[in-house]
């Protein structure tokens, strides 16, 4: 491994987490059809939605786009943009400049028979359109519901698990792939590990910091209990 661990913070709190407050949420624009489990990425003044599925567990391979305008942040009508190479849900789509990367996810099948994948694809946006996507080196294992982020010239994928089940094998590995000058990715390798196996978390990157946010109920079966907030911060 070619990274240096500088510091690791572990914070557990059952109290109030202070942050800058958002204003009230306002209705903006309906999607063209009911959908969930999609990935959303901002690009310039546009919001792009990738894949997703409907209430009948039928997944999409479409990319939708809406343009933000005005001081209130309103969106234009959603329009069809192009297609993704695979019908996936819970995949991660992240971008660096004009390069977009779709990492991992589930093949959404009827009756909840979801199968995770290790596929990775690269698409380059040009005039707000994706002409094609190119397959990249596969993740070392089939993963979904982990989180991807970009720090510098490296794409990271952390955590996740391998199948849709409460008893699934949750993962704590953090994998990395070099982003080449043409936008393609190098071979994935192990960058480090999370403090514990996890999935369904939030992730953010700031300079060389990788920050993981988790919210877990005190009692698993009662979501009305106070949440334990865990924050992990790792420097690469």
């Amino acid at each position: 491994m070619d990274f240096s661990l500088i510091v690791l913070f572990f914070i557990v709190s059952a109290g109030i987490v202070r942050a800058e407050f958002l204003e009230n949420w306002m209705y903006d624009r309906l999607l063209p059809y009911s959908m969930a489990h999609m990935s959303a990425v901002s690009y310039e003044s546009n919001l792009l939605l990738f894949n997703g599925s409907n209430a009948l567990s039928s997944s999409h391979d479409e990319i939708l786009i809406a343009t933000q305008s005005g001081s209130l942040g309103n969106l234009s009508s959603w329009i069809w943009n192009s297609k993704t190479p695979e019908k996936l849900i819970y995949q991660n789509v992240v971008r660096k400049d004009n390069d977009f990367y779709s990492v991992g996810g589930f093949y959404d099948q009827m009756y909840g028979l979801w199968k995770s994948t290790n596929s990775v694809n690269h698409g380059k946006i040009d005039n707000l359109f994706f002409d094609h996507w190119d397959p990249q080196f596969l993740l070392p294992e089939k993963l979904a519901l982990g989180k991807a982020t970009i720090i510098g010239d490296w794409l990271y994928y952390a955590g996740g698990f391998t199948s849709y089940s409460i008893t699934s094998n949750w993962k704590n590995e953090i994998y990395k792939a070099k982003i080449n000058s043409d936008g393609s990715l190098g071979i994935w390798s192990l960058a480090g590990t999370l403090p514990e196996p996890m999935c369904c978390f939030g992730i953010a990157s700031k300079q060389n910091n990788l920050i993981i946010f988790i919210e877990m109920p005190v009692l698993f079966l009662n979501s009305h209990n106070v949440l334990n907030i865990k924050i992990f911060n790792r420097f690469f």
Side-chain angles (χ1 to χ4, degrees), residues 210-227:
L210 179 63
I211 305 171
I212 306 294
F213 302 89
I214 317 169
E215 291 186 343
M216 296 185 298
V218 174
L219 296 176
F220 182 79
L221 297 179
N222 187 349
S223 61
H224 298 291
N225 281 282
V226 176
L227 295 177

Side-chain angles (χ1 to χ4, degrees), residues 37-136:
H37 314 145
M38 62 280 198
S39 294
V41 181
S42 62
Y43 175 75
E44 296 179 346
S45 297
N46 305 280
L47 180 62
L48 293 95
L49 299 182
F50 297 81
N51 299 100
S53 64
N54 60 28
L56 297 177
S57 192
S58 176
S59 58
H60 305 287
D61 59 356
E62 298 177 331
I63 303 173
L64 302 176
I65 185 170
T67 301
Q68 179 265 326
S69 62
S71 60
L72 295 179
N74 294 329
L75 294 173
S76 65
S77 297
W78 292 95
I79 59 173
W80 183 88
N81 178 273
S82 52
K83 287 183 174 289
T84 58
E86 299 177 278
K87 290 185 177 182
L88 294 172
I89 60 172
Y90 290 124
Q91 88 275 32
N92 274 240
V93 179
V94 293
R95 78 170 181 92
K96 180 182 181 184
D97 301 324
N98 295 334
D99 296 294
F100 287 68
Y101 303 92
S102 174
V103 188
F106 283 122
Y107 291 114
D108 184 13
Q109 302 178 16
M110 293 296 288
Y111 310 112
L113 301 176
W114 296 353
K115 294 183 179 180
S116 54
T117 178
N118 56 352
S119 67
V120 181
N121 290 282
H122 164 238
K124 187 179 291 287
I125 195 169
D126 184 22
N127 291 324
L128 295 181
F129 186 79
F130 294 91
D131 182 54
H132 66 280
W133 292 76
D134 297 314
Q136 303 296 302

Side-chain angles (χ1 to χ4, degrees), residues 180-200:
N180 300 315
S181 58
D182 63 353
S184 64
L185 296 177
I187 297 176
W188 292 87
S189 61
L190 187 67
T193 56
L194 296 166
E196 59 189 59
M198 63 182 72
C199 63
C200 309

